Amino acid sequence: MTVEISQDPWAAFDGLLGVEVVEVVETIGDGIGSLAFLGRCSTEDNQDPETSRGWQYGNAHKFVEPLGGVIVEEFFDIGQSRSVPWERRPEASRLLAALKDKDRGWNAVVVGEGTRCWFGNQFSLIAPKFAAYGVDLWVPELGGKFDSRNPSHKMLMSVLGGMSESERQHVQARVRAAMDAQVVNEGRHQGGRAPYGYTVVDAGPHPNPRKAAEGYRLRVLAIDEPSAVVVRRIFAEYLTGEMGDRAIANGLNRDGIPCPSARRPDQNRHRLADGWQGGTVRAILENPRYTGFAFFGRWTPRDAARPGGRRSRSRSAVPQGRS
């Protein structure tokens, strides 16, 4: 038996995947017409929105120009995480609304990079909306426009969504590990309200030369002796085993000791400053900072649904290092 092998190995590979290569010579003339460009940029890791928009737009332009495509409108989200649904991204949401407009001026959308625009299973939720309004999706990673009838296209877009999710998780893990190491090993304060009994002090120029040149300073926590005395009293009374949270709080109020929100109203504007509460005492007793542990990410954010919108809540994290 004789097996005929194609002279072009890439053509054979495309055949196995079911990818149809778009021939430029077949589209010369009217071409694919007017398109809208879609991109996204996060503000994390000091990303420059203008630079990010530039290279994504450049990729999209180089992709569709040989096929007769002309970009006539842009939708570019800045400071939006890829995990945020399209409906909650300003520009992506505007694009979805534009799909319904018969006079939008374009009948296709091109992206600069698929992993920038889709995350997890988002593509499977968005693609049917484009198909419903007859709008094509051109994706550089596919080498052409998305074909919903092609199983390989669906598989590849699913893989891109998984890669995007994995990339984001790896970035989060690296950033969290680095910031945790800075807190544990270098004693840095990464922001937020200083725990009661501590104050934030300047520790000199930032160790990163670029940030130091921009005027950033290194911040660390130092003991605030007047309020530290109160913290020591709380632990001492609790360790006797004779006083609970409320009893300790009542004693502090009876002695006229200002509660944390009364002592630092500038950083506790969300509090009523109406005296010590049992929950306040409990929060101090459960804060690992007072027992010698320091770590970044004591609270991790999570989205919680509520009528009329969404709000951000937090949940406790697990201690990871000792100061």
Side-chain angles (χ1 to χ4, degrees), residues 5 16 32 43 60 70-71 76 86 121 187 223 250 258 274 286 290 293 311 320:
I5 300 177
L16 291 173
I32 59 179
T43 55
V70 179
I71 297 176
F76 191 78
W86 276 40
N121 68 338
I223 294 177
N250 291 337
D274 55 351
E286 292 180 347
Y290 300 115
F293 286 88
R311 61 183 174 185
Q320 298 177 3

Side-chain angles (χ1 to χ4, degrees), residues 32-258:
I32 59 179
S34 301
L35 304 94
F37 160 70
L38 174 67
R40 182 200 63 83
C41 167
S42 171
T43 55
E44 297 178 356
D45 300 328
N46 299 310
Q47 293 185 27
D48 177 20
E50 191 62 30
T51 301
S52 184
R53 178 259 171 203
W55 71 258
Q56 289 182 56
Y57 182 90
N59 280 355
H61 178 71
K62 288 186 292 184
F63 178 43
V64 298
E65 183 185 29
L67 307 177
V70 179
I71 297 176
V72 297
E73 189 170 359
E74 296 184 33
F75 299 87
F76 191 78
D77 277 306
I78 298 176
Q80 297 292 317
S81 170
R82 70 187 77 187
S83 64
V84 175
W86 276 40
E87 292 77 8
R88 292 171 54 197
R89 301 184 201 170
E91 290 296 292
S93 176
R94 189 169 69 88
L95 186 149
L96 292 177
L99 294 177
K100 306 174 184 179
D101 183 5
K102 296 181 180 179
D103 300 322
R104 59 181 172 267
W106 43 266
N107 291 312
V109 173
V110 60
V111 300
E113 184 181 76
T115 54
R116 285 270 169 169
C117 300
W118 290 287
F119 174 89
N121 68 338
Q122 286 178 356
F123 185 82
S124 64
L125 301 175
I126 294 299
K129 298 182 180 181
F130 283 80
Y133 293 100
V135 175
D136 292 331
L137 279 168
W138 289 78
V139 185
E141 288 90 340
L142 289 180
K145 68 179 179 181
F146 173 73
D147 182 1
S148 60
R149 297 169 300 179
N150 190 326
S152 297
H153 281 203
K154 293 182 177 180
M155 178 191 70
L156 289 173
M157 292 309 299
S158 177
V159 170
L160 285 177
M163 291 172 58
S164 178
E165 185 171 4
S166 176
E167 178 185 349
R168 177 177 179 269
Q169 291 174 345
H170 282 140
V171 170
Q172 285 182 324
R174 287 195 296 267
V175 171
R176 181 169 293 274
M179 298 187 78
D180 184 65
Q182 290 171 354
V183 171
V184 175
N185 301 327
E186 303 174 26
R188 294 195 199 180
H189 179 61
Q190 301 289 14
R193 296 190 303 274
Y196 181 74
Y198 289 91
T199 185
V200 180
V201 298
D202 189 304
H206 197 282
N208 184 312
R210 182 182 61 79
K211 289 188 175 182
E214 294 175 358
Y216 286 93
R217 308 286 294 180
L218 183 63
R219 301 186 305 168
V220 299
L221 291 177
I223 294 177
D224 177 41
E225 195 56 40
S227 53
V229 172
V230 181
V231 174
R232 297 187 187 103
R233 168 178 167 172
I234 290 173
F235 275 88
E237 291 181 353
Y238 183 77
L239 290 175
T240 63
E242 299 177 357
M243 301 180 68
D245 306 340
R246 292 184 181 180
I248 295 174
N250 291 337
L252 294 172
N253 288 327
R254 186 172 55 251
D255 293 343
I257 297 176

